[in-house]
Amino acid sequence: MCIRDRLVTKEVLVTVESSAYAVYVGGAVLKPGKIMASQPITVIEAIMEAGGLAEGKAKASAVVVTRTEANTVRRYRLDVQAMLEGKSTLRFYLRPSDVVYVPARLF
């Protein structure tokens, strides 16, 4: 007997409750905290959602994204300054629970 013969109705209804996910932005930004993303979001977009870089305080050339994948923590160092100036075409997309840290400049 195959599965087709056992099904009473041949329709399946799938409901997605929420596709939003959280990423976290901290450090030298104006509004650090949790960002809810309902679609793919880049590291620059997340920083902008957090109010943008703290003027004169942020070291945008050394932004760190921390990501946990398969019980392994990975850190990505990104030159967001080069991205903002158009010197880099990298579009780094964030994943659920990623943590973006913008370090402060040392004077």
Side-chain angles (χ1 to χ4, degrees):
M1 176 185 283
C2 71
I3 294 174
R4 181 178 70 214
D5 297 332
R6 287 189 254 162
L7 290 176
V8 176
T9 181
K10 294 183 173 131
E11 291 183 35
V12 175
L13 176 63
V14 177
T15 304
V16 177
E17 293 294 326
S18 174
S19 62
Y21 60 93
V23 296
Y24 304 88
V25 182
V29 293
L30 297 179
K31 297 184 298 183
K34 178 169 59 172
I35 304 293
M36 293 304 295
S38 59
Q39 60 189 24
I41 187 171
T42 66
V43 67
I44 291 177
E45 291 166 334
I47 289 170
M48 293 305 149
E49 284 289 323
L53 298 167
E55 190 69 34
K57 295 181 181 178
K59 186 176 180 184
S61 62
V63 173
V64 176
V65 175
T66 304
R67 175 178 292 165
T68 302
E69 296 176 305
N71 295 325
T72 303
V73 176
R74 296 192 65 188
R75 287 179 181 78
Y76 301 88
R77 184 176 170 162
L78 304 171
D79 188 346
V80 170
Q81 188 65 42
M83 294 176 197
L84 291 170
E85 293 173 353
K87 295 176 182 175
S88 171
T89 58
L90 176 66
R91 292 182 54 85
F92 190 92
Y93 283 92
L94 299 175
R95 294 187 184 165
S97 299
D98 278 358
V99 177
V100 178
Y101 179 73
V102 180
R105 291 178 185 248
L106 299 176
F107 294 99

